Amino acid sequence: MTVDLYNNIYGDFSSDAEVAVRRAAFGDDIGQSSWMTAAEWLRSADLASISPERHVLEVGSGSGGPAVYLGTHRGCRVTGVDLNDHGVRNGLQLAAAAGLADRVTFRVVDASRRLPFADGTFDAVLSNDAMCHIEHRLDVLRDWHRVLRPGGRILFTDGLVITGIVSQDEIATRSVIGRYLFVPPGENERLIADAGFTVLATEDRTASAETIARQWRDAREQHRAALVAREGEANFSGLQRFLACVHQLSAERRLSRFAYLAQKP
Protein backbone atom coordinates (compact mmCIF):
# COMPACT_ATOMS: atom_id res chain seq x y z
CA MET A 1 0.00 0.00 0.00
CA THR A 2 1.22 3.48 -0.87
CA VAL A 3 0.82 6.03 1.93
CA ASP A 4 0.47 9.74 1.17
CA LEU A 5 2.62 11.98 3.35
CA TYR A 6 3.56 14.97 1.24
CA ASN A 7 0.23 15.91 -0.39
CA ASN A 8 -1.43 15.81 3.01
CA ILE A 9 1.08 17.88 4.94
CA TYR A 10 1.64 20.45 2.17
CA GLY A 11 -2.01 20.71 1.20
CA ASP A 12 -3.13 21.15 4.83
CA PHE A 13 -0.01 23.01 5.95
CA SER A 14 -1.71 25.66 8.11
CA SER A 15 -4.30 23.49 9.84
CA ASP A 16 -4.28 23.47 13.64
CA ALA A 17 -3.40 19.76 13.70
CA GLU A 18 -0.44 20.01 11.30
CA VAL A 19 0.97 23.07 13.07
CA ALA A 20 0.69 21.35 16.45
CA VAL A 21 2.30 18.16 15.11
CA ARG A 22 5.26 20.06 13.64
CA ARG A 23 5.86 21.95 16.87
CA ALA A 24 5.84 18.74 18.90
CA ALA A 25 7.97 16.81 16.41
CA PHE A 26 10.60 19.43 15.56
CA GLY A 27 10.53 22.06 18.30
CA ASP A 28 10.90 25.17 16.14
CA ASP A 29 8.33 24.90 13.36
CA ILE A 30 9.86 26.09 10.08
CA GLY A 31 7.56 23.97 7.94
CA GLN A 32 9.92 21.02 7.68
CA SER A 33 8.79 17.50 6.82
CA SER A 34 11.90 15.39 7.34
CA TRP A 35 14.46 14.66 10.05
CA MET A 36 15.83 18.19 10.45
CA THR A 37 15.57 20.79 13.21
CA ALA A 38 15.79 24.54 12.60
CA ALA A 39 19.19 24.59 14.31
CA GLU A 40 20.51 21.85 12.01
CA TRP A 41 19.24 23.74 8.96
CA LEU A 42 21.11 26.91 9.90
CA ARG A 43 24.23 24.91 10.74
CA SER A 44 24.08 23.31 7.29
CA ALA A 45 23.81 26.78 5.76
CA ASP A 46 26.85 27.95 7.71
CA LEU A 47 28.87 24.91 6.64
CA ALA A 48 27.96 25.77 3.04
CA SER A 49 29.26 29.34 3.62
CA ILE A 50 25.87 30.94 3.02
CA SER A 51 25.76 34.69 3.69
CA PRO A 52 23.55 37.62 2.56
CA GLU A 53 25.18 38.05 -0.84
CA ARG A 54 24.81 34.37 -1.77
CA HIS A 55 22.27 32.75 -4.09
CA VAL A 56 21.25 29.31 -2.84
CA LEU A 57 19.53 26.49 -4.72
CA GLU A 58 17.45 24.23 -2.48
CA VAL A 59 16.70 20.90 -4.15
CA GLY A 60 13.59 19.33 -2.67
CA SER A 61 12.21 22.49 -1.08
CA GLY A 62 9.09 20.76 0.27
CA SER A 63 6.61 23.14 1.88
CA GLY A 64 8.90 26.12 1.22
CA GLY A 65 9.13 26.88 4.92
CA PRO A 66 12.84 26.05 5.33
CA ALA A 67 13.79 28.24 2.34
CA VAL A 68 11.83 31.17 3.75
CA TYR A 69 13.43 30.59 7.16
CA LEU A 70 16.86 30.57 5.54
CA GLY A 71 16.15 33.78 3.63
CA THR A 72 14.98 35.42 6.85
CA HIS A 73 17.86 34.31 9.07
CA ARG A 74 20.78 34.43 6.63
CA GLY A 75 19.58 37.19 4.29
CA CYS A 76 20.43 35.18 1.17
CA ARG A 77 18.52 34.63 -2.06
CA VAL A 78 16.95 31.18 -2.32
CA THR A 79 15.51 29.35 -5.30
CA GLY A 80 13.62 26.26 -4.24
CA VAL A 81 12.72 23.43 -6.60
CA ASP A 82 10.37 20.56 -5.88
CA LEU A 83 8.28 18.09 -7.85
CA ASN A 84 5.24 18.59 -5.60
CA ASP A 85 3.08 21.48 -6.80
CA HIS A 86 1.29 21.70 -3.43
CA GLY A 87 4.63 22.44 -1.79
CA VAL A 88 5.64 24.99 -4.42
CA ARG A 89 2.33 26.86 -4.09
CA ASN A 90 2.66 26.85 -0.32
CA GLY A 91 6.23 28.15 -0.56
CA LEU A 92 5.22 31.04 -2.79
CA GLN A 93 2.50 31.98 -0.31
CA LEU A 94 4.90 31.80 2.63
CA ALA A 95 7.51 33.94 0.85
CA ALA A 96 4.90 36.56 -0.01
CA ALA A 97 3.55 36.62 3.54
CA ALA A 98 7.08 37.10 4.90
CA GLY A 99 7.80 39.94 2.46
CA LEU A 100 10.50 37.87 0.76
CA ALA A 101 8.96 37.26 -2.65
CA ASP A 102 11.78 39.22 -4.29
CA ARG A 103 14.47 36.98 -2.73
CA VAL A 104 12.87 33.57 -2.15
CA THR A 105 11.21 31.86 -5.10
CA PHE A 106 9.99 28.37 -5.97
CA ARG A 107 9.54 26.34 -9.14
CA VAL A 108 8.08 22.93 -9.96
CA VAL A 109 11.10 21.02 -11.25
CA ASP A 110 12.00 17.36 -11.65
CA ALA A 111 15.42 17.37 -9.98
CA SER A 112 16.38 14.05 -11.57
CA ARG A 113 16.67 15.86 -14.92
CA ARG A 114 18.92 18.69 -16.12
CA LEU A 115 18.07 21.76 -14.05
CA PRO A 116 16.58 24.77 -15.92
CA PHE A 117 19.36 27.12 -14.82
CA ALA A 118 22.43 28.50 -16.57
CA ASP A 119 25.96 27.40 -15.71
CA GLY A 120 27.37 29.07 -12.60
CA THR A 121 24.04 30.47 -11.36
CA PHE A 122 24.35 29.56 -7.68
CA ASP A 123 26.82 29.93 -4.82
CA ALA A 124 25.55 26.89 -2.91
CA VAL A 125 23.22 23.92 -3.21
CA LEU A 126 21.38 22.57 -0.18
CA SER A 127 19.19 19.49 -0.14
CA ASN A 128 17.70 18.03 3.01
CA ASP A 129 16.62 14.37 2.94
CA ALA A 130 15.59 14.60 -0.73
CA MET A 131 18.48 12.88 -2.50
CA CYS A 132 17.13 9.47 -1.47
CA HIS A 133 14.16 10.09 -3.81
CA ILE A 134 16.14 11.26 -6.85
CA GLU A 135 17.17 8.90 -9.66
CA HIS A 136 20.45 9.10 -11.60
CA ARG A 137 22.46 10.43 -8.66
CA LEU A 138 25.78 10.83 -10.46
CA ASP A 139 24.15 12.80 -13.28
CA VAL A 140 22.32 14.91 -10.70
CA LEU A 141 25.54 15.73 -8.86
CA ARG A 142 27.27 16.62 -12.11
CA ASP A 143 24.42 19.02 -12.87
CA TRP A 144 24.78 20.60 -9.43
CA HIS A 145 28.45 21.05 -10.29
CA ARG A 146 27.42 22.77 -13.52
CA VAL A 147 25.05 25.29 -11.92
CA LEU A 148 27.50 26.17 -9.13
CA ARG A 149 30.06 28.93 -9.37
CA PRO A 150 33.73 27.96 -8.75
CA GLY A 151 34.31 27.57 -5.04
CA GLY A 152 30.62 26.92 -4.40
CA ARG A 153 29.58 24.30 -1.88
CA ILE A 154 26.95 21.61 -1.73
CA LEU A 155 25.49 20.01 1.37
CA PHE A 156 22.92 17.24 1.25
CA THR A 157 21.64 14.69 3.73
CA ASP A 158 20.74 11.09 3.01
CA GLY A 159 18.78 9.09 5.57
CA LEU A 160 18.93 5.80 3.68
CA VAL A 161 22.50 4.64 4.18
CA ILE A 162 22.41 0.96 5.10
CA THR A 163 24.64 0.36 8.13
CA GLY A 164 23.22 -2.93 9.40
CA ILE A 165 20.94 -5.79 8.56
CA VAL A 166 17.53 -4.61 7.27
CA SER A 167 14.75 -7.05 6.35
CA GLN A 168 12.66 -6.89 3.20
CA ASP A 169 9.60 -6.07 5.32
CA GLU A 170 11.44 -3.16 6.93
CA ILE A 171 12.58 -1.92 3.52
CA ALA A 172 8.96 -2.05 2.33
CA THR A 173 7.65 -0.16 5.37
CA ARG A 174 10.41 2.43 5.16
CA SER A 175 9.58 2.97 1.47
CA VAL A 176 5.80 3.16 1.78
CA ILE A 177 5.51 6.94 1.25
CA GLY A 178 7.31 7.01 -2.11
CA ARG A 179 10.16 5.77 -4.24
CA TYR A 180 13.42 5.46 -2.31
CA LEU A 181 17.01 4.64 -3.16
CA PHE A 182 19.11 2.89 -0.51
CA VAL A 183 22.91 3.11 -0.62
CA PRO A 184 25.83 1.40 1.13
CA PRO A 185 28.35 3.38 3.20
CA GLY A 186 30.86 5.23 1.02
CA GLU A 187 28.71 5.35 -2.11
CA ASN A 188 27.70 8.98 -1.77
CA GLU A 189 31.30 10.06 -1.20
CA ARG A 190 32.36 8.15 -4.34
CA LEU A 191 29.66 9.74 -6.47
CA ILE A 192 30.40 13.24 -5.13
CA ALA A 193 34.06 12.85 -6.08
CA ASP A 194 33.20 11.37 -9.49
CA ALA A 195 31.01 14.43 -10.17
CA GLY A 196 34.05 16.68 -9.77
CA PHE A 197 33.65 17.88 -6.19
CA THR A 198 36.12 17.78 -3.33
CA VAL A 199 34.55 16.06 -0.33
CA LEU A 200 35.10 18.26 2.73
CA ALA A 201 33.22 16.36 5.43
CA THR A 202 30.79 13.55 6.18
CA GLU A 203 28.75 13.81 9.37
CA ASP A 204 26.53 11.24 11.06
CA ARG A 205 23.13 12.82 11.80
CA THR A 206 21.20 9.64 12.55
CA ALA A 207 20.32 10.76 16.07
CA SER A 208 17.99 13.44 14.73
CA ALA A 209 16.03 10.91 12.66
CA GLU A 210 15.71 8.67 15.70
CA THR A 211 14.35 11.47 17.89
CA ILE A 212 12.14 13.23 15.36
CA ALA A 213 10.51 10.03 14.09
CA ARG A 214 9.43 9.13 17.64
CA GLN A 215 8.21 12.63 18.45
CA TRP A 216 6.40 12.91 15.12
CA ARG A 217 4.59 9.62 15.62
CA ASP A 218 3.61 10.50 19.19
CA ALA A 219 2.38 13.95 18.11
CA ARG A 220 0.24 12.49 15.35
CA GLU A 221 -1.29 10.08 17.84
CA GLN A 222 -2.25 13.04 20.04
CA HIS A 223 -4.11 14.56 17.08
CA ARG A 224 -5.50 11.29 15.72
CA ALA A 225 -9.11 12.43 15.34
CA ALA A 226 -8.34 15.51 13.24
CA LEU A 227 -5.78 13.70 11.10
CA VAL A 228 -7.95 10.65 10.47
CA ALA A 229 -10.83 12.92 9.47
CA ARG A 230 -8.64 14.43 6.78
CA GLU A 231 -6.43 11.59 5.56
CA GLY A 232 -8.44 8.48 6.49
CA GLU A 233 -7.74 5.65 8.92
CA ALA A 234 -5.70 3.56 6.49
CA ASN A 235 -3.36 6.41 5.59
CA PHE A 236 -3.03 7.50 9.22
CA SER A 237 -2.11 3.99 10.36
CA GLY A 238 0.31 3.56 7.47
CA LEU A 239 2.16 6.74 8.38
CA GLN A 240 2.31 5.67 12.02
CA ARG A 241 3.93 2.38 11.00
CA PHE A 242 6.33 4.27 8.74
CA LEU A 243 7.43 6.60 11.56
CA ALA A 244 7.81 3.71 14.00
CA CYS A 245 10.01 1.93 11.45
CA VAL A 246 12.20 5.00 10.94
CA HIS A 247 12.63 5.33 14.69
CA GLN A 248 13.58 1.69 15.24
CA LEU A 249 16.00 1.44 12.30
CA SER A 250 17.64 4.71 13.33
CA ALA A 251 17.83 3.86 17.03
CA GLU A 252 19.50 0.55 16.22
CA ARG A 253 21.74 2.26 13.63
CA ARG A 254 20.80 -0.27 10.97
CA LEU A 255 19.75 2.60 8.70
CA SER A 256 21.72 5.82 9.08
CA ARG A 257 21.44 9.45 8.07
CA PHE A 258 24.55 11.33 6.95
CA ALA A 259 25.29 14.86 5.80
CA TYR A 260 27.77 15.37 2.96
CA LEU A 261 29.66 18.62 2.45
CA ALA A 262 31.65 19.19 -0.73
CA GLN A 263 33.10 22.04 -2.77
CA LYS A 264 33.53 22.78 -6.46
CA PRO A 265 37.21 23.55 -7.14
Side-chain angles (χ1 to χ4, degrees), residues 120-148:
T121 297
F122 300 100
D123 299 291
V125 179
L126 296 180
S127 185
N128 183 69
D129 297 334
M131 186 65 93
C132 58
H133 297 290
I134 303 174
E135 302 275 4
H136 316 301
R137 192 166 306 188
L138 178 56
D139 291 339
V140 167
L141 288 166
R142 284 172 172 161
D143 204 40
W144 291 10
H145 190 278
R146 177 186 66 80
V147 300
L148 268 181

Side-chain angles (χ1 to χ4, degrees), residues 120 208 235 252:
S208 64
N235 199 82
E252 296 173 0

Side-chain angles (χ1 to χ4, degrees), residues 1-202:
M1 181 183 72
T2 299
V3 174
D4 189 344
L5 171 65
Y6 300 112
N7 286 326
N8 278 312
I9 61 175
Y10 300 157
D12 203 35
F13 181 82
S14 299
S15 72
D16 291 344
E18 287 296 348
V19 170
V21 167
R22 287 198 302 272
R23 287 174 177 166
F26 303 107
D28 291 328
D29 172 17
I30 63 171
Q32 64 270 62
S33 57
S34 58
W35 320 116
M36 172 192 75
T37 63
E40 179 188 310
W41 184 231
L42 292 182
R43 182 169 181 273
S44 293
D46 293 341
L47 288 171
S49 300
I50 292 170
S51 55
E53 69 276 8
R54 303 290 185 176
H55 188 186
V56 180
L57 172 66
E58 185 189 0
V59 176
S61 51
S63 73
V68 172
Y69 187 80
L70 189 62
T72 300
H73 287 267
R74 289 296 179 266
C76 54
R77 295 171 58 202
V78 186
T79 298
V81 298
D82 201 283
L83 195 57
N84 190 292
D85 57 352
H86 293 289
V88 168
R89 284 198 301 271
N90 193 74
L92 292 170
Q93 292 169 1
L94 291 175
L100 295 176
D102 60 330
R103 288 196 289 113
V104 181
T105 62
F106 301 91
R107 296 174 62 172
V108 176
V109 170
D110 182 350
S112 69
R113 300 177 181 272
R114 181 181 172 90
L115 295 167
F117 305 111
D119 296 1
T121 297
F122 300 100
D123 299 291
V125 179
L126 296 180
S127 185
N128 183 69
D129 297 334
M131 186 65 93
C132 58
H133 297 290
I134 303 174
E135 302 275 4
H136 316 301
R137 192 166 306 188
L138 178 56
D139 291 339
V140 167
L141 288 166
R142 284 172 172 161
D143 204 40
W144 291 10
H145 190 278
R146 177 186 66 80
V147 300
L148 268 181
R149 298 184 179 111
R153 291 187 172 188
I154 66 169
L155 189 148
F156 71 90
T157 54
D158 185 353
L160 293 184
V161 181
I162 296 179
T163 49
I165 297 173
V166 184
S167 73
Q168 67 180 43
D169 291 337
E170 288 169 326
I171 291 281
T173 301
R174 183 60 181 82
S175 306
V176 74
I177 65 170
R179 181 167 175 78
Y180 279 105
L181 303 168
F182 295 77
V183 297
E187 180 66 1
N188 281 320
E189 292 93 331
R190 182 185 72 81
L191 294 173
I192 291 166
D194 286 352
F197 291 101
T198 300
V199 178
L200 301 179
T202 300

